[in-house]
């Protein structure tokens, strides 16, 4: 559970930064998003029992990702929506990037 939550926090924080600081997008952010998506998929394949709590972990991680994105961007946490601006499936989808 801990790894699932941690990977979601990193992924979601980077997706938030991608949306709210488009001028700072970098290859490093892209690589982090790709790496976290692949690691999440692998972790869920190896631990199918986590599927039942994945949505809860995703939403909990989003709350922490807002704080992390706020800290890393020097933007107030209120600049980020209370609920994710993307679905869990979008966040995990290798072919999806927010505009």
């Amino acid at each position: 559970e801990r790894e699932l939550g941690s990977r979601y926090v990193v992924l979601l924080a980077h997706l938030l930064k991608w949306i709210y600081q488009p001028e700072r997008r970098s290859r490093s952010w892209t690589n982090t998003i790709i790496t976290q998506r692949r690691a999440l998929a692998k972790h869920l394949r190896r631990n199918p029992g986590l599927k039942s709590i994945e949505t809860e972990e995703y939403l909990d991680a989003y709350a922490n990702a807002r704080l992390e994105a706020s800290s890393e961007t020097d933007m107030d946490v209120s600049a980020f929506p209370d609920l994710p601006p993307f679905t869990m499936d979008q966040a995990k989808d290798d072919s999806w990037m927010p505009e």
Side-chain angles (χ1 to χ4, degrees), residues 57-72:
E57 288 294 319
Y58 170 78
L59 293 173
D60 287 347
Y62 180 74
N64 291 325
R66 284 179 74 222
L67 297 172
E68 189 169 311
S70 171
S71 173
E72 291 180 13

Side-chain angles (χ1 to χ4, degrees), residues 34-86:
I34 291 167
T35 298
Q36 293 306 312
R37 284 174 168 165
R38 289 180 182 164
L40 267 169
K42 180 177 178 181
H43 190 62
L44 288 166
R45 269 194 320 274
R46 289 185 173 178
N47 300 279
L50 292 175
K51 242 352 198 176
S52 65
I53 62 162
E54 184 181 10
T55 300
E56 181 182 345
E57 288 294 319
Y58 170 78
L59 293 173
D60 287 347
Y62 180 74
N64 291 325
R66 284 179 74 222
L67 297 172
E68 189 169 311
S70 171
S71 173
E72 291 180 13
T73 62
D74 289 327
M75 296 172 67
D76 192 87
V77 72
S78 64
F80 305 100
D82 291 335
L83 295 174
F86 36 76

